[in-house]
Amino acid sequence: MIRVDSYPTHEKDGIKYRIGKVLPYGASIVPNGVNFSIFSKHATSCELLLYNKGEKKPYAVIPFPDEFRIGDVFSMIVFDIDYETVEYGYRMNGEFNPKKGFWFNKDKILLDPYAKAISGRNVWGEEPDYSNEFQHRGKIVYDDFDWDGDSPLKIPMEDLIIYEMHVRSFTRHPSSNVKHPGTFAALTQKISYLKELGINCVELLPIFEFDEFENSKIVNGKRLYNYWGYSTVGFFAPKAGYAATGRYNMEVDELKNFIKTFHQNGIEVILDVVFNHTAEGNEKGPYISFRGIDNKTYYLLTPDGYYYNFSGCGNTLNCNNSLVRNTILDCLRYWASEYHIDGFRFDLASILSRDENGAPMSSPPLLELLANDAILSNCKLIAEAWDAGGLYQVGNFPSWGRWAEWNGQYRDTVRKYLKGDGCEFENLVKRIEGSEDMYKGRSSNASINFITCHDGFTLYDLVSYNDKHNLDNGENNNDGCNDNNS
């Protein structure tokens, strides 16, 4: 039997192609070629750009014919692509009118929001070529990893001992005595240490692709980076600079091997995910992806076209728009199914409860969707139940019996008690007993109890300093909170 869709219908400059499948979004390998699919409600036209790895200029620019657009989706199958060496992006045309929320620019080359791997920052701290107009490029991933029968561990919530971990910091110091410091590969060499601590779950600070050179600067002769990763460039792609094999485009397999090895040793892996904003920032930020693809759909905008900033980082994703909601769901499903992730901790999760005007909803459709999704049914869902816009929901985050919360009141109560605030004794008893006063009708599993985290003082600082002392980063000690209760 001959499949009709395995043959081209169009040709341009020796590149053969035909109308593609609208789903799944992104770049996916199909018989004889690669299917490219991308959404834009307001674009008037779209071009696909194909590059040989590392080259500044595309070897092919293919406009999507009108008949290749179904609804708001452009799709195309391109034949005879070497998916291991090709990089790709898009150009969108449309109205440029920021007051109406439109930022289309036909000259900007845009990253696919569904790219499963991204080039441009393959080696941590390697200075990028800023003359390259296309900094973050989509790569095509062939999912053929051998999981060897692995599956998520399903450790009960009440039994979790969670270690919050920065992938690079955890093994970067020479005392770690690992072969590839600061990488996914290095983490597997520290399993015995974690097990000695009694750890059965690690929660990785953001590992979605981000740009360590975002807002990078030299302070006292030292290069300072965007180190924490809370500024996502691509939601589906692991940070290549965290992989010892990133320069060889093997970050996907290296990350999967780390997860499989941790599972084999009884340790779950939870990801800290940032869906509240992106690395594109405010009106002065760069074009990377969403801004040029469909700014008005992806971001929360004021009536005069400016970005609502409930994240404190310049923009806020329009999370309860049906398209954006489905993108977030697709992302989490992908990480749960393709990477065997055990759960997710949602940064500034209260933003996910805001409507398109920024007002909080009692039953946010996104949170309900995630709570009841069939593919995510065994994943832990953990909310940082506040945001930078003043919305504080600790104890009453919409849960549907599924969502747990970082219990900031547990943190504050324990700290105050330990430093001698005797009036905290009654509160301390409530927190240790499971904070039933806060989580009425919910089990104590709703409370993720912690004393320190990546925000504010470390545990060492907590017993060493009365006041914060962030002086080495050149921000005049203005960053971070002042209420550390140390």
Side-chain angles (χ1 to χ4, degrees), residues 12-13 47-50 58-63 91:
K12 182 178 184 292
D13 300 327
E47 293 176 324
L48 172 68
L49 283 69
L50 301 176
Y59 72 82
V61 178
I62 312 172
R91 283 197 298 234

Side-chain angles (χ1 to χ4, degrees), residues 282-324:
N282 62 15
E283 295 80 9
K284 298 179 181 179
Y287 282 79
I288 298 175
S289 180
F290 298 114
R291 188 193 305 276
I293 291 172
D294 204 325
N295 186 72
K296 191 170 185 178
T297 293
Y298 283 107
Y299 292 115
L300 286 182
L301 304 175
T302 67
D304 52 356
Y306 290 98
Y307 295 92
Y308 278 118
N309 188 19
F310 299 116
S311 67
C313 298
N315 64 48
T316 304
L317 270 182
N318 189 9
C319 297
N320 284 293
N321 172 282
S322 59
L323 187 282
V324 184

Side-chain angles (χ1 to χ4, degrees), residues 257-372:
N257 184 68
F258 145 68
I259 295 167
K260 181 173 78 169
T261 305
F262 267 51
H263 282 176
Q264 289 170 343
N265 286 273
I267 302 176
E268 289 194 340
V269 180
I270 290 176
L271 300 186
D272 190 341
V273 293
V274 187
F275 292 112
N276 51 74
H277 73 283
T278 76
E280 292 186 306
N282 62 15
E283 295 80 9
K284 298 179 181 179
Y287 282 79
I288 298 175
S289 180
F290 298 114
R291 188 193 305 276
I293 291 172
D294 204 325
N295 186 72
K296 191 170 185 178
T297 293
Y298 283 107
Y299 292 115
L300 286 182
L301 304 175
T302 67
D304 52 356
Y306 290 98
Y307 295 92
Y308 278 118
N309 188 19
F310 299 116
S311 67
C313 298
N315 64 48
T316 304
L317 270 182
N318 189 9
C319 297
N320 284 293
N321 172 282
S322 59
L323 187 282
V324 184
R325 191 165 67 228
N326 287 334
T327 299
I328 294 172
L329 178 62
D330 288 345
C331 173
L332 296 173
R333 284 175 166 178
Y334 178 73
W335 286 95
S337 60
E338 290 296 335
Y339 284 88
H340 294 196
I341 293 299
D342 299 276
F344 304 93
R345 178 265 186 190
F346 293 77
D347 182 65
L348 298 183
S350 288
I351 283 180
L352 309 184
S353 72
R354 294 183 182 270
D355 65 17
E356 295 193 9
N357 297 312
M361 295 178 281
S362 58
S363 296
L366 172 60
L367 300 181
E368 182 178 11
L369 183 67
L370 301 183
N372 295 307

